[in-house]
Amino acid sequence: MIDIRTAILAASATALLGLSGCMTPIGPVEVTRFHDAARLSQLGHGTIAVESAAGLDPKSLELASYKLAVGRELTRLGYDVVAEGAGAQVAVVRLERATIQPDGGRSPVSVGGGASVGSYGSGVGLGIGIDLSGKPKAQVDTRLGVMIRDRASDQTLWEGRASFTVRADAPLAQSQLGAPKMAAALFSDFPGNNGQTVEVK
């Protein structure tokens, strides 16, 4: 099993270098967060493991990119990211990626399992904006969901969802570049306003 803490450090420099060279215009990331105000004091510190949601392929390289990006953000927030199966808290990552064709068709391109998870909301704020001006281009829609749960009680402390759509030929359609952007947007101004949907550029 790969030590996620080591992988986070190794991947950070590569991802940042890739992003610095990306000049393709992109749209904002749409983000919605939910939390229990009575449990906010439990967030942002202590040990936490980043794990895949049930039903996702644990060997998926794309999912691994998003888990690493989530781990980096949790470290920035003050958490000590530990190996899967350990930690007082667990960040459960769910990912869905699909290609949107100009004719409106939608086909999965990688990991399945939509991002509407948890006990706080019901899939709020996951709209998709598609620019069909000029010659239509296929687009890649990515939806990332993260639930932070208390391992001992299995209670959800925080839930976030992010949706991001780019042209299929854009650099940020690649997971190694798109994952850091989505994770950074999802955890911006953590924990965020409960139930509010915002656009993070």
Side-chain angles (χ1 to χ4, degrees):
M1 179 181 295
I2 298 175
D3 185 343
I4 193 167
R5 290 173 294 180
T6 302
I8 287 170
L9 294 174
S12 294
T14 301
L16 289 173
L17 285 173
L19 282 172
S20 65
C22 175
M23 301 300 293
T24 303
I26 55 176
V29 179
E30 190 170 88
V31 174
T32 307
R33 278 78 65 94
F34 303 93
H35 57 73
D36 182 349
R39 297 181 178 277
L40 288 181
S41 62
Q42 296 178 248
L43 296 172
H45 58 87
T47 56
I48 191 168
V50 181
E51 301 180 4
S52 307
L56 300 187
D57 180 4
K59 297 181 180 179
S60 166
L61 296 179
E62 288 186 309
L63 179 58
S65 294
Y66 282 86
K67 289 171 66 178
L68 286 173
V70 168
R72 286 194 295 270
E73 290 300 311
L74 293 172
T75 298
R76 179 184 63 80
L77 292 173
Y79 278 107
D80 178 15
V81 178
V82 296
E84 295 189 24
Q89 295 179 23
V90 55
V92 182
V93 178
R94 187 173 292 272
L95 177 67
E96 179 184 5
R97 303 193 75 220
T99 297
I100 303 171
Q101 301 295 342
D103 61 3
R106 181 182 176 90
S107 60
V109 293
S110 60
V111 184
S116 294
V117 296
S119 56
Y120 293 121
S122 56
V124 182
L126 291 176
I128 302 170
I130 303 175
D131 179 13
L132 294 179
S133 60
K135 184 178 180 180
K137 300 287 186 179
Q139 299 200 357
V140 174
D141 173 50
T142 304
R143 302 185 183 199
L144 173 67
V146 178
M147 278 196 306
I148 297 178
R149 305 180 69 88
D150 178 75
R151 191 179 292 279
S153 66
D154 201 35
Q155 291 184 323
T156 301
L157 307 177
W158 181 90
E159 177 184 351
R161 306 167 186 167
S163 177
F164 180 50
T165 303
V166 294
R167 279 177 30 170
D169 58 356
L172 283 170
Q174 302 174 30
S175 291
Q176 287 186 331
L177 298 180
K181 175 181 174 62
M182 288 198 75
L186 186 60
F187 289 99
S188 63
D189 299 323
F190 183 83
N193 293 326
N194 188 35
Q196 182 181 25
T197 297
V198 297
E199 289 187 345
V200 182
K201 297 183 179 179

